[in-house]
Amino acid sequence: MKKIIFLILSLVSFSLFAQNQTYWQQHVDYTMEIDMNVKNYQFNGKQKLVYTNNSPDELNEVFYHLQFNAFQPGSEMDVRLQNIVDPDARMVNNLGTKEAPNYESRISKLKPNEIGFQKIISLKQNNKVVKYEVIGTILKVTLNTPIKTGKKATFDMEFQAQVPVQIRRSGRNNKEGIALSMAQWYPKLAEYDNEGWHANEYIAREFYGVWGNFDVTIHIDKNYAIGGTGYLQNPQQVGHGYEDKTKKLNLPKGDKLTWHFKAPNVHDFTWAADDEYLHDIKQVPNGATLHFLYKNKPQTIKNWKKMQDETIKTMQFYNKTVGDYPYKQYSIIQGGDGGMEYGMCTLMNGNVKLPSLIGTMRHEMAHSWFQFVLATNEIKYSWMDEGFASYISTLASNVNKNNDTFMFERVYKTYTFLANSGKEEPLTTQADRFNTNMAFSIGSYYKGQIFLSQLGYIIGEENLAKTLKKYYNDFQFKHPNPNNIKRTAEKVSGIQLEWYLNEWTQTLHTIDYAVKSTSNKEITLNRIGKMPMPIDLKVTYTDGSYESFYIPLQMMLGKKPMQTTALPYWEWANPNFTFTTSKVIKKVEIDPSLLMADVDRSNNTFEVK
Ligand SMILES: [Zn+2]
């Protein structure tokens, strides 16, 4: 008996241990059919969702996002717009002047026929009516029967929706006249992971979804072309440039076309439609097919044609730098506002100058690797998405430039401005909870980008390149978190990096090193900022020769590969570091690479007069 109890106890503890160690992930299969009315911007939808609970937990409730509901007067998005000091310019009218702004929320002015909504008409779990409650942009469903570990449940929903006037990301009739930008258009199951439910209210940003397969059928006016996530299943029945030109078109009679898309292994489905879209297709050699959908206007046509070869090159560059894009298709679609990344596509502004068009394409496409395939939780770790996408798009923009300027110059300057402004907030802040849009944006895009460029300074450029590839290879389709990028860099470099992740992303510590003194052949360096770093140093001697030194940080318990003279470790606790050189010193320079984000570089160089 005792033996049996012991055996049971050890099995229990083993399975608990196994649960802690094993990564799991929920799964969705959506089948949706919608009927769009392009006159009043309303559509009726049917959605069958088969949800597989791969978690170790029994689920008694599930949550959906109803993101169109954000575009209603009085919504939390509207209230936030009226209270944040630096609202997104696209979402407000400025009734004052540039110097003395007086912002009015555009959402607050929406009329009933202009708002967005997703109304649930009926909802069943396994064919039985189920109870639900709409809380802002969240639908909370109390299940009739719990979904046990490893089991599936089928949810059948009928819903009715109205596409809002374009305020942010999705909507009707954007500034450039695109009829329908359809992001966040369907009731979307929230992600449940080992941290629990991620049923975040839609306030400004951003998205985190469940992987699965989408089968989407859209009935829409026959003059409208659609671009978006997923592979079109019936090109001969829609035409609009998707058809095989060697075969006959087989268009249905009537005013509408039926578009049938399938998208395997994605966590979102987005589309756009317009009755003036031109549609070009280009092929990445041995890669994805690229679709370009844009307005039939002379200047737009000129720029969008010129962008196409750049798009091919950019995708090839990302494939080489990060890893292969796993889908067969990517679409660049004029729509939305600015630029926003989605599954297998982007919606972006089209009537802009060519360099800006290419810049946006590079940035949004870069997200495919981070926001889409890796799919970090953007709400919690926006810096891993925006920052890393920005990093590879900066690399892509500098491929053919071999000038001497530091490619991240503007990025470091912008971060330094924020760090010195007193308005910086830790990158661990939930994306909507930043006090200002400025702190969110500079933190995520710039400080997040520097996380990688500066990691190259710490572990070496070659190790950084390997880290990026290994991270993508090991964590694609797995929602990685900050520890995953840190561990990958540690495994590649043999350098301990907990201190780096902590200081850079979880604190507001800044880096400031100075040359404190030199005398004859002795140099003393001083750590002024709270954040410690390893130091690259260039010393010029009075005879005109120079020598490069490397001072690893003791917490690293390892060194980057360097051709230079390595000095002993510098412990974090010690603010000073002194060493002697072989020749008389003329000039000392801390970090000539500029990759260390020192917030005060005025004291990095010291010259003996
Ligand atoms: Zn972005």
Side-chain angles (χ1 to χ4, degrees), residues 41 163-166 171-181 274:
Y41 305 96
V163 185
V165 163
Q166 172 92 23
R172 61 171 107 150
N173 304 325
N174 81 350
K175 271 197 167 164
E176 299 181 343
I178 302 298
L180 294 164
S181 299
D274 194 75

Side-chain angles (χ1 to χ4, degrees), residues 341 363-364 367 385-386 389 445:
E341 67 279 8
H363 177 87
E364 304 311 334
H367 274 296
D385 171 40
E386 291 302 349
Y445 289 74

Side-chain angles (χ1 to χ4, degrees), residues 18 28 63 71 92 137 150 234 293 410 412 464 467 489 534 605:
V28 286
F63 297 89
F71 303 102
V92 290
T137 60
N234 58 339
L293 292 110
R410 191 176 63 86
Y412 279 64
L464 172 63
T467 295
T605 307

Side-chain angles (χ1 to χ4, degrees), residues 94 118 138 161 214 216 272 321 341 377 425 528 538 566 568 595 608:
N94 184 2
Q118 285 154 332
I138 298 296
F214 286 66
V216 179
T321 307
E341 67 279 8
N377 182 343
E425 294 174 63
I528 300 169
K538 184 178 171 186
L595 285 168
V608 180

